Amino acid sequence: MVRLVFLIAIFLSSTIQAAPLRIGVTDSILSLPLHVAKAEGFFVKRGVDVELVRCVFGHRCITNMLDGQTELSIAAELPAVLISFTRNDFSILTSFVSVSSDVKVVSLRSAKITEPSKLKGKTLGYVKGSVSQYVLDLVLVYSGIDPATVNLRAIQPENALAAIANREVDALCLWEPFVSRIQSNLGAQVQLVPIPKLYTETFNLMATHAVIKSKPKQLERIVLALKDSTNFIQANPDGAKALAVKHLNIPFSLINGIFDDYRYRLSLNRSLMRTMEGQARWALREGHVNRALPQPDFAGLVYPNILKAIDPGAVSLQ
């Protein structure tokens, strides 16, 4: 009996001392699998203690991770590409969602921007170092507009509504749910500019190399929980929408209107690598990073071992 009590005490002591793994997450529908995994108990089911730490957008999530505020983060691939020019101590473990219409252009109706070609000469807001900046540049180039003929203004996503409401910008290139919230708040004062689908965005789970080395089993359990979560979303879209409303503070009407645009599944494939390589060339060409820096080796920015062990068919990097 004494031995049993002693063993229980040791177990409880180790459990109390083990800190949860912190993951930086956004309040975007792109982050839904993390919030579902937490709400539905998939992390607990897989035997890993996780704390979700809110951050406004992916670039901040990554920088918070690299600053030691979290062990993992989620973000689109672009901020990872930009940071990888100067840091190579983190890797993508898996993508868990893809979408071609998350980033939109919303304009003041009074600016009369009814098509992309009418962006010329306007003041355009974007979030520096994010997919907002990348998509806006793609749209301008595709529309034959020299970026020098527009007035580009960097904003923070949390200030986007005020920027357009106060007419500091004529239009904004931004992601959901910020765009739909602007539409909800400003109503007929704004309109969506129909832009071509030039880019498929992924949201990805990332960890520092130190965490990958020291906590491989915990990371495997987190990825397993994400697999449970994406399976849940696919099989139970109504339940997933309800969880999004509750945990992301996004109205059901907004979620219902955009939900089918997102493809939730775990993957690491060659298209991710091609996208990152193209983004790196864009960043160098446009001077968004120091042109003297060499292009990163993106094979090192992806760590496929965990996903390959869980779901070999989800990995196709060659």
Side-chain angles (χ1 to χ4, degrees):
M1 180 59 120
V2 173
R3 177 178 172 80
L4 178 61
V5 171
F6 177 71
L7 290 173
I8 291 173
I10 291 176
F11 173 78
L12 290 175
S13 175
S14 64
T15 301
I16 291 169
Q17 291 176 5
L21 283 175
R22 300 163 297 176
I23 307 177
V25 298
T26 68
D27 284 333
S28 161
I29 190 173
L30 288 162
S31 305
L32 183 57
L34 279 296
H35 296 282
V36 168
K38 187 72 170 178
E40 289 296 300
F42 295 138
F43 291 127
V44 173
K45 169 189 168 184
R46 293 297 182 178
V48 61
D49 189 9
V50 164
E51 177 187 352
L52 302 183
V53 180
R54 305 284 179 132
C55 42
V56 177
F57 65 114
H59 190 279
R60 288 189 198 167
C61 288
I62 299 177
T63 54
N64 287 350
M65 176 184 71
L66 296 176
D67 289 343
Q69 296 178 39
T70 63
E71 286 72 44
L72 299 95
S73 73
I74 62 171
E77 73 291 328
L78 177 63
V81 167
L82 296 177
I83 292 171
S84 71
F85 276 92
T86 54
R87 297 281 298 259
N88 62 359
D89 55 343
F90 68 101
S91 291
I92 295 171
L93 307 181
T94 183
S95 303
F96 52 82
V97 61
S98 62
V99 59
S100 299
S101 56
D102 185 62
V103 181
K104 300 177 172 73
V105 175
V106 60
S107 73
L108 289 166
R109 196 173 294 274
S110 59
K112 300 181 180 179
I113 307 172
T114 54
E115 58 186 48
S117 63
K118 296 185 182 299
L119 292 168
K120 185 175 181 180
K122 303 298 185 181
T123 299
L124 309 177
Y126 71 98
V127 180
K128 187 175 182 179
S130 76
V131 293
S132 153
Q133 183 177 21
Y134 183 60
V135 170
L136 181 57
D137 193 76
L138 290 179
V139 170
L140 292 174
V141 171
Y142 182 85
S143 304
I145 300 173
D146 183 347
T149 65
V150 300
N151 179 21
L152 296 173
R153 178 168 298 181
I155 61 165
Q156 295 300 321
E158 59 267 43
N159 300 328
L161 174 59
I164 196 165
N166 296 333
R167 302 180 180 273
E168 297 169 13
V169 296
D170 298 306
L172 290 164
C173 185
L174 204 55
W175 55 85
E176 294 290 2
F178 289 100
V179 171
S180 291
R181 286 173 177 160
I182 288 170
Q183 289 180 285
S184 176
N185 277 273
L186 300 183
Q189 296 179 60
V190 296
Q191 62 185 1
L192 287 181
V193 179
I195 61 173
K197 294 181 179 180
L198 302 172
Y199 159 65
T200 298
E201 177 184 5
T202 62
F203 239 49
N204 311 279
L205 178 70
M206 307 177 196
T208 63
H209 290 174
V211 172
I212 292 172
K213 183 178 180 180
S214 63
K215 302 181 184 297
K217 285 298 181 184
Q218 292 96 319
L219 295 184
E220 181 177 329
R221 291 166 184 164
I222 288 173
V223 175
L224 279 166
L226 280 185
K227 185 173 177 63
D228 295 335
S229 183
T230 54
N231 288 342
F232 175 92
I233 294 169
Q234 293 169 20
N236 187 10
D238 289 340
K241 292 176 188 177
L243 286 168
V245 170
K246 180 177 180 180
H247 294 282
L248 297 175
N249 193 29
I250 302 174
F252 178 79
S253 58
L254 191 164
I255 291 291
N256 199 46
I258 64 176
F259 188 85
D260 290 341
D261 295 337
Y262 299 81
R263 297 289 177 265
Y264 294 99
R265 65 183 182 89
L266 302 191
S267 69
L268 283 173
N269 53 48
R270 180 58 190 159
S271 64
L272 172 65
M273 303 296 287
R274 287 197 297 266
T275 296
M276 291 194 296
E277 290 162 359
Q279 289 172 339
R281 290 191 295 271
W282 165 80
L284 285 166
R285 183 180 66 248
E286 300 300 322
H288 299 310
V289 296
N290 186 338
R291 290 190 176 95
L293 293 172
Q295 181 163 317
D297 173 17
F298 291 112
L301 192 61
V302 175
Y303 184 80
N305 299 31
I306 294 173
L307 183 59
K308 191 177 291 185
I310 292 170
D311 187 354
V315 180
S316 56
L317 293 170
Q318 302 301 322

